[in-house]
Amino acid sequence: YLPNGYPVVIMVHGYGDRKEVLEGIAFAQSQYGYVVYTYSVRGQGNSTGLSNLISRTEAEDLIEFVNYVKHDMHITGSDTGNVLIMGGSQGGMLPYMAASMGMKVRAIISALAAPNFASSWIENGSIKMTLLWTVEYTPDIARYNPQVDRMSEWIYSNQPDKWDSLSTWLPFNRDFSNIIANNSVPIVLENSWQDMFFNTLGN
């Protein structure tokens, strides 16, 4: 064993994908001497459970996985370990959210992540088509919990009470602007003008 454990990279995929799509880049990273893990988010790929659509539930899963990796790689000497997490979109938001919830790693590279992404999907009283497409993914792409499963009905209904449900429950435990100040992990944020999904101004 290395005296302070192994240098580790954890890769998190984008929404509706699976860890196998990261195989090529994971192999490339491993050539630099890193131990590389790829990670399927709940309700996607071969992961069990049901997706809660990029929420603190999935961030808690990631925290649990990071703690497992630290133990598995015999990382000692600090609470951060020698761990980098990287990903884009969902794969960038979950590490960013988890770090704001107290997860300790050495660094994060987060692409296309905004802490107010859920509110951005429904800003100005309108609904972005990308939200509708996402909540209508078929089970071979994403398997949803009952609340997320109902969101497409809320969108199509065009009724004030269903809009109230959407505006209440979509940002709940998804937006995390109010906890960013808790993050002490160095993070590289890579954004682009791509507001067909969500605005990147929340950072």
Side-chain angles (χ1 to χ4, degrees), residues 178-191:
N178 61 327
I179 60 170
I180 287 178
N182 300 336
N183 178 24
S184 60
V185 177
I187 183 168
V188 173
L189 290 171
E190 176 188 344
N191 277 333

Side-chain angles (χ1 to χ4, degrees), residues 150-177:
R150 289 195 302 272
M151 287 184 181
S152 63
E153 297 170 25
W154 296 348
I155 293 168
Y156 280 122
S157 75
N158 199 26
Q159 298 297 317
D161 61 322
K162 297 298 189 278
W163 167 257
D164 290 346
S165 296
L166 194 65
S167 64
T168 298
W169 292 109
L170 185 63
F172 181 72
N173 277 340
R174 293 184 182 90
D175 284 355
F176 59 101
S177 302

